[in-house]
Amino acid sequence: MRDKYKYIGPLYDFLSSIYGGEAIHNCKRAMLTPEYVQPGDKVLIAGVGHGKDAIRAAEIGADVTVVDISETMLKKLEAAFAKHPDDLKVRVVHADILKFEEFERYDMVIANFFLNVFGEDFMRKLLSHLVRCVKPGGSFVIGDFSYPSGNLLARAAQKLYWYTAAVIFYFASDNAVHEIYNYPVLMEAEGLGIKDTRRFSYLGMNCYTSVLGYKPA
Ligand SMILES: C[S@@+](CC[C@H](N)C(=O)[O-])C[C@H]1O[C@@H](n2cnc3c(N)ncnc32)[C@H](O)[C@@H]1O
């Protein structure tokens, strides 16, 4: 398996902080609150990266499984867990998420800044696959770039901000360059209801949104 994050992976969270301040990190953890996650809940995080969200879920006492295809990213995640003052338990799976077939097992499935990596057809396939992993009555969370909204200038600024990152990651890790996805609409098309939405601003723009959908019981 070629590791597309071999070179940029070690710097990924550091670059996120430069590009989005704390807004990206806050977006990733937005729905990891006692309101939505109880100790013992089974939480799956797809394309986990350095794992700030995984750490928060484990701190709450969730039974956390993370999946990532990049060894480089998983090494950073494991280093972050080793540094944590508590002995947080997380199941780490080094795999392509499409080969991970634990359907209807998770109380919450999280895809933070993951689906934007892919072109639309493949992204839809991954989204369906991840929704299948959610138990009936469970939740599905996407934290990612906000769908452009507001006046013409605001929408243009949001698009410019996104395309800057998309082009950098196209060259750095072969990510797809595409329009910003409208995740609430995509989630509803998968049969999910939308329960909560949190927005995170940076540089005066509505840059990031975390959306929590639920799968009917
Ligand atoms: C843009 S990064 C986001 C990382 C993390 N979720 C975050 O919010 O910082 C995308 C992540 O998805 C992982 N990834 C890409 N394709 C994957 C696949 N098919 N299966 C599992 N992980 C994958 C990459 O290795 C990378 O860690």
Side-chain angles (χ1 to χ4, degrees):
M1 234 172 334
R2 184 165 83 84
D3 188 348
K4 294 182 179 178
Y5 284 78
K6 186 170 179 184
Y7 300 109
I8 202 159
L11 294 172
Y12 184 84
D13 264 12
F14 171 69
L15 294 174
S16 293
S17 303
I18 292 176
Y19 177 78
E22 275 303 292
I24 292 182
H25 304 313
N26 292 336
C27 178
K28 288 182 208 176
R29 295 181 290 224
M31 302 300 178
L32 291 165
T33 65
E35 190 184 353
Y36 294 125
V37 184
Q38 273 77 53
D41 277 2
K42 284 175 74 67
V43 173
L44 170 66
I45 306 182
V48 66
H50 293 198
K52 285 199 162 52
D53 39 15
I55 289 174
R56 173 61 57 83
E59 284 170 347
I60 293 174
D63 174 0
V64 183
T65 296
V66 301
V67 181
D68 203 293
I69 203 167
S70 162
E71 195 182 348
T72 308
M73 292 300 232
L74 290 178
K75 276 191 184 146
K76 289 295 288 188
L77 169 112
E78 278 164 350
F81 269 89
K83 268 199 233 146
H84 197 280
D86 302 327
D87 183 19
L88 301 175
K89 297 265 182 291
V90 169
R91 176 181 163 223
V92 178
V93 181
H94 180 204
D96 180 342
I97 192 71
L98 279 180
K99 300 207 170 111
F100 181 87
E101 298 188 329
E102 298 191 352
F103 299 130
E104 303 212 336
R105 297 233 200 125
Y106 290 89
D107 297 290
M108 178 182 275
V109 173
I110 300 176
N112 281 330
F113 297 90
F114 175 57
L115 295 167
N116 76 34
V117 164
F118 309 99
E120 186 166 349
D121 290 349
F122 194 69
M123 177 277 293
R124 283 178 183 270
K125 187 172 168 184
L126 280 173
L127 177 60
S128 298
H129 179 85
L130 292 175
V131 170
R132 281 185 75 192
C133 295
V134 181
K135 277 182 190 169
S139 57
F140 183 79
V141 174
I142 298 180
D144 216 311
F145 284 79
S146 302
Y147 191 70
S149 61
N151 62 30
L152 192 65
L153 195 63
R155 294 200 307 275
Q158 283 170 296
K159 287 182 191 181
L160 181 66
Y161 185 68
W162 150 250
Y163 279 112
T164 305
V167 169
I168 291 171
F169 276 89
Y170 169 78
F171 287 108
S173 45
D174 200 21
N175 290 3
V177 177
H178 52 79
E179 290 190 359
I180 301 176
Y181 295 136
N182 190 338
Y183 294 107
V185 169
L186 289 161
M187 288 162 81
E188 282 175 334
E190 287 292 329
L192 302 173
I194 304 299
K195 188 165 180 182
D196 199 353
T197 303
R198 310 263 169 101
R199 294 190 175 79
F200 297 86
S201 298
Y202 185 62
L203 304 174
M205 281 184 291
N206 164 24
C207 291
Y208 308 107
T209 304
S210 181
V211 188
L212 183 139
Y214 64 91
K215 193 183 228 183

